[in-house]
């Protein structure tokens, strides 16, 4: 990356202070945000600590008492205004994503549409939080079940979708009547702060939406406040399974409600009955989006022996034809950098481990400048190799050959996580059998891209707790209160 790239966005959207109680706040120190493609500093952001986190929790708690009194229609209107502003400023918001996260501009624009869609969806769901009237066994009483907001929610989000991971959680929380404190990933705080600027412009009241950015060094102490403060009623976290377990332990002392969207290890199975061209297209979309850095990226590719050779040949040709490495702001780039050099080192290590155990390197394999990694295709992969045992989060496509459906399912399900799974088949009976047998929370059948606000998002096993998106996403921010209305004269 010899060229110099500069981030050019409208001034109000490039915010570098924390946002607490409707005010922009500085901290004692700042931390740098780097462009992962060049290593250049884009901005310096307030490095908030436990004191600022506590102020944000207190502000959210105070605001909760008035925000929960807003009618569902009033909350709906404000979320809709916020959605309209995201849509209006999508180009600038996409540029922020490209520069701090590295993804190609076309994908960043896609993320902004996805991000805005959650505010639109939950602005509509706000008005559909229905309780129940239950037939009573006694004539002198009525049984009512009411749904009420849980309170302050701590929202801890990752860098790979720096805008959408916030709106998917916050849209539901605000629609339910909760208030939030957001701790964005240290690599990508600018998108979160831009959302705060637009929330303010939309008229969302002070204290309802707070953002506390911090460096990697301050993250544990800020996270501890957000997960242990008694005024916080709920935590929602997206990130690694290891970190999720730490946060659950912290939340246990005060018995907080928790949603966890944790690591995945998605299988992508291609059966002999598959449409091979469709399967190759799905593999390209599922593996190489955001250079392989999504929670639902396919990680282990299983291809049945009858079509293995044909699939590998067509996939290799598609990789040559469609993948272009470069800075995300270049129009023909499809593959940006990985988020940092540690991420690139992890992928390089998985490749060398696989090759040392007998995998064939068919494409790529090289670590390039900075955190760039060549898209890599490995054949003759076995389940003993590291790339089939742990999540990669990079542009590595390892292919295992299998013979029977039972064998494929045994390999696919031999994991302690289960977020997404994909398979390609034209056999209707097989489709039902495999979709029901896969131990995952999301299944793509003849489809490599699944996410939409209308559907649930979440995993089974150690991939997490709870669901985001859909009509069920708002339930994570609600309690059910039973009201027994007695003393009635029959």
């Amino acid at each position: 990356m010899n060229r110099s790239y500069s981030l050019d966005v409208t001034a109000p959207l490039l915010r570098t202070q924390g946002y607490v109680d409707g005010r922009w706040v500085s901290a004692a120190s700042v931390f740098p945000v780097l462009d992962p493609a060049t290593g250049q500093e884009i901005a310096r952001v307030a490095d908030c600590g436990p004191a600022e986190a506590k102020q944000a929790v207190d502000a959210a708690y105070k605001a909760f008492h008035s925000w929960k009194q807003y009618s569902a229609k009033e909350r709906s209107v404000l979320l809709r205004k916020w959605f309209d502003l995201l849509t209006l400023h999508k180009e600038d918001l996409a540029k922020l994503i490209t520069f701090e996260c590295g993804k190609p501009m076309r994908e960043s624009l896609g993320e902004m549409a996805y991000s805005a869609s959650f505010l639109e969806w939950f602005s509509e769901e706000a008005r559909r939080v229905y309780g129940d009237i239950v037939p009573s066994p006694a004539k002198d009483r009525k049984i009512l079940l009411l749904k009420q907001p849980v309170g302050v929610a701590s929202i801890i989000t990752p860098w790979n979708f720096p805008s959408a991971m916030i709106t998917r959680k916050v849209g539901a929380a605000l629609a339910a009547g909760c208030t939030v404190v957001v701790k964005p990933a240290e690599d990508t705080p600018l998108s979160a702060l831009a959302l705060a600027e637009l929330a303010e412009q939309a008229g969302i009241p002070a204290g309802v939406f707070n953002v506390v950015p911090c460096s990697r060094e301050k993250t544990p102490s800020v996270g501890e406040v957000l997960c242990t403060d008694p005024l916080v009623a709920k935590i929602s976290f997206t990130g690694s399974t290891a970190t999720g377990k730490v946060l659950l332990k912290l939340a246990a002392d005060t018995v907080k409600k928790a949603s966890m969207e944790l690591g995945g290890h998605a299988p992508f199975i291609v059966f002999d009955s598959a449409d091979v061209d469709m399967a190759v297209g799905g593999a390209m979309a599922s593996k190489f989006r955001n250079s392989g850095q999504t929670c639902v990226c396919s990680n282990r590719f299983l291809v049945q022996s009858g079509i293995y050779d044909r699939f590998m040949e067509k996939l290799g040709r598609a990789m040559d034809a469609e993948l272009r490495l470069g800075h995300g702001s270049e129009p023909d780039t499809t593959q940006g950098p990985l988020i940092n050099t540690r991420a690139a080192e992890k992928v390089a290590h998985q490749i060398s481990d696989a090759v040392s155990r007998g995998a064939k390197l068919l494409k790529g394999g090289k670590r390039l400048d900075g955190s760039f990694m060549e898209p890599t295709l490995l054949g003759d992969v076995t389940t003993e190799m590291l790339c089939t045992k742990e999540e990669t989060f990079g542009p590595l496509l390892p292919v295992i050959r299998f013979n029977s459906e039972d064998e494929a399912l045994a390999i696919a399900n031999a994991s302690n996580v289960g977020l997404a799974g994909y398979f390609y088949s034209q056999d209707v009976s097989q489709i039902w059998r495999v979709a029901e047998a896969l131990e995952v929370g999301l299944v793509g059948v003849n489809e490599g891209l699944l996410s939409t606000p209308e559907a649930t998002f979440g995993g089974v096993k150690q991939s997490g707790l709870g669901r985001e998106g859909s009509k069920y996403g708002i339930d994570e921010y609600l309690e059910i209160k039973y009201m027994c209305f007695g003393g009635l004269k029959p």
Side-chain angles (χ1 to χ4, degrees):
M1 307 300 306
N2 300 326
R3 273 194 56 192
S4 154
Y5 297 86
S6 62
L7 173 60
D8 169 32
V9 300
T10 320
L13 290 178
L14 185 57
R15 288 287 188 174
T16 57
Q17 294 170 292
Y19 185 68
V20 175
D21 203 13
R23 293 190 306 276
W24 295 99
V25 298
S26 298
S29 58
V30 292
F31 66 100
V33 179
L34 306 179
D35 178 344
T38 62
Q40 291 169 345
E41 189 177 295
I42 311 167
R44 291 188 172 193
V45 171
D47 192 1
C48 295
E52 289 82 10
K54 176 61 179 153
Q55 285 166 13
V57 169
D58 290 346
Y61 186 71
K62 188 173 121 230
F64 172 61
H65 293 291
S66 53
W67 180 244
K68 69 179 179 182
Q69 304 293 344
Y70 277 54
S71 70
K73 172 75 187 287
E74 288 168 327
R75 292 197 296 265
S76 171
V77 166
L78 288 170
L79 281 167
R80 179 73 201 197
K81 282 183 182 163
W82 198 12
F83 159 77
D84 289 337
L85 286 166
L86 259 67
T87 307
L88 181 66
H89 293 286
K90 63 183 182 218
E91 297 275 344
D92 277 350
L93 295 167
K95 282 182 201 165
L96 287 174
I97 293 171
T98 288
F99 273 81
E100 66 178 350
C101 160
K103 67 177 66 171
M105 193 63 185
R106 190 170 33 180
E107 285 190 28
S108 296
L109 284 164
E111 177 177 344
M112 278 323 303
Y114 184 52
S115 180
S117 74
F118 284 107
L119 298 182
E120 179 184 42
W121 174 260
F122 285 114
S123 76
E124 294 160 351
E125 286 301 292
R127 302 179 68 189
R128 319 212 195 301
V129 177
Y130 302 147
D132 294 301
I133 297 176
V134 179
S136 169
K139 291 193 173 75
D140 66 344
R141 68 192 59 178
K142 297 289 182 191
I143 295 173
L144 293 87
L145 305 182
L146 314 176
K147 289 186 181 177
Q148 296 185 314
V150 296
V152 176
S154 291
I155 308 287
I156 303 172
T157 55
W159 50 263
N160 59 340
F161 286 88
S163 184
M165 292 304 91
I166 294 173
T167 59
R168 187 160 76 189
K169 297 171 188 297
V170 169
L174 268 55
C178 296
T179 56
V180 299
V181 179
V182 177
K183 193 211 85 65
E186 65 273 5
D187 296 294
T188 56
L190 301 176
S191 293
L193 296 168
L195 288 176
E197 167 63 31
L198 295 177
E200 187 173 88
Q201 288 184 26
I204 287 172
V208 170
F209 181 73
N210 305 275
V211 182
V212 182
C214 66
S215 62
R216 182 177 293 277
E217 292 70 34
K218 294 257 180 81
T219 290
S221 59
V222 167
E224 189 169 344
V225 171
L226 297 183
C227 294
T228 61
D229 192 297
L231 300 183
V232 173
K234 147 128 198 145
I235 56 172
S236 179
F237 170 72
T238 296
S240 73
T241 301
T243 304
K245 289 175 180 178
V246 171
L247 301 186
L248 277 171
K249 282 178 184 160
L250 288 172
D253 269 353
T254 44
V255 195
K256 298 191 190 310
K257 201 173 167 84
S259 304
M260 296 273 147
E261 197 252 284
L262 307 176
H265 192 30
F268 186 104
I269 309 170
V270 187
F271 290 104
D272 283 346
S273 66
D275 176 322
V276 176
D277 291 327
M278 193 191 281
V280 166
M284 292 292 291
S286 173
K287 177 74 256 186
F288 295 113
R289 188 165 62 116
N290 198 17
S291 302
Q293 302 174 107
T294 84
C295 331
V296 291
C297 267
S298 298
N299 222 60
R300 303 168 287 157
F301 288 75
L302 291 79
V303 181
Q304 202 157 4
S305 44
I307 56 160
Y308 181 91
D309 292 335
R310 200 152 47 103
F311 177 83
M312 295 301 271
E313 184 208 339
K314 289 191 168 195
L315 180 62
R317 286 213 300 265
M319 286 174 68
D320 286 341
E322 295 173 29
L323 302 180
R324 296 281 174 276
L325 281 151
H327 193 285
S329 61
E330 298 279 5
D332 58 347
T333 293
T334 68
Q335 301 291 285
L338 299 193
I339 188 65
N340 51 38
T341 53
R342 289 191 312 281
E345 281 155 17
K346 179 182 178 183
V347 180
H349 178 58
Q350 284 194 4
I351 293 167
S352 62
D353 168 79
V355 171
S356 75
R357 294 171 189 268
K360 281 204 179 73
L361 181 60
L362 302 174
K363 289 242 169 284
K366 285 200 210 53
R367 169 88 198 274
L368 304 172
D369 289 348
S371 59
F372 278 89
M373 193 77 215
E374 275 187 331
T376 301
L377 177 61
L378 293 176
D380 295 341
V381 171
T382 69
T383 55
E384 297 310 303
M385 297 168 187
L386 209 50
C387 59
T388 63
K389 291 180 171 181
E390 61 177 40
E391 193 172 20
T392 301
F393 246 61
L396 166 59
L397 200 160
V399 187
I400 300 168
R401 189 196 300 255
F402 73 91
N403 294 311
S404 70
E405 182 183 307
D406 285 347
E407 182 191 354
L409 282 168
I411 295 169
N413 289 337
S415 169
N416 63 3
V417 292
L419 186 54
Y422 308 84
F423 70 93
Y424 280 71
S425 169
Q426 299 291 309
D427 174 339
V428 173
S429 299
Q430 181 176 54
I431 285 170
W432 278 111
R433 282 195 308 272
V434 174
E436 292 186 341
L438 277 175
E439 294 169 0
V440 294
L442 303 85
V443 183
V445 184
N446 299 324
E447 182 53 67
L449 298 174
L450 305 175
S451 303
T452 179
E454 291 83 356
T456 52
F457 193 102
V460 299
K461 300 200 269 195
Q462 293 186 32
S463 279
L465 304 166
R467 292 295 180 264
E468 295 184 334
S470 83
K471 68 175 185 175
Y472 299 105
I474 205 166
D475 290 345
E476 304 287 336
Y477 297 89
L478 295 166
E479 299 283 17
I480 299 176
K481 178 185 282 182
Y482 161 38
M483 173 179 157
C484 182
F485 189 170
L488 302 174
K489 294 191 172 61

